[in-house]
Amino acid sequence: MKCIICGLYSGENKLCFKHAAAARSIAENYSIWQKAFNISFEEYLKRIVENKETGTWVAEVAKYIIESGDTSILNL
C-alpha cells in the first residue's frame, strides 16, 4: 500500500512511517493546544499549517486533514 499523502510505501497502513509519526504528534498535542488557546480542532490544524516552525510532515498531515476532512488517520 502507498501513503495517501506522499505515495511512499506504507505497508498495511494509510500513511508511511514519517506521516504516521506526524499524525500521532498532531493527535497527542491537540489537548494541550485546546487547553492553552481554547480552540477547535479545525483552528488547531490551521495554526499548525500557518506556523513557520511546523515540520514538513506535520504540516502535510494537517493540510491533508483540512482539505479532505479525513480524521481517521489520527486513529493509528
Side-chain angles (χ1 to χ4, degrees), residues 9-67:
Y9 178 74
S10 62
E12 298 291 319
N13 303 309
K14 288 183 174 183
L15 301 174
C16 65
F17 76 95
K18 292 178 181 181
H19 284 115
R24 277 191 299 276
S25 177
I26 288 171
E28 290 170 359
N29 288 301
Y30 174 56
S31 64
I32 296 167
W33 278 62
Q34 185 181 35
K35 288 177 186 173
F37 301 108
N38 193 29
I39 59 174
S40 68
F41 187 69
E42 294 78 19
E43 182 62 27
Y44 168 62
L45 293 175
K46 288 177 187 174
R47 288 190 185 190
I48 287 172
V49 172
E50 293 169 357
N51 187 334
K52 293 177 183 176
E53 300 296 319
T54 299
T56 302
W57 298 302
V58 172
E60 289 174 347
V61 171
K63 188 174 180 180
Y64 170 81
I65 295 169
I66 290 168
E67 292 174 355

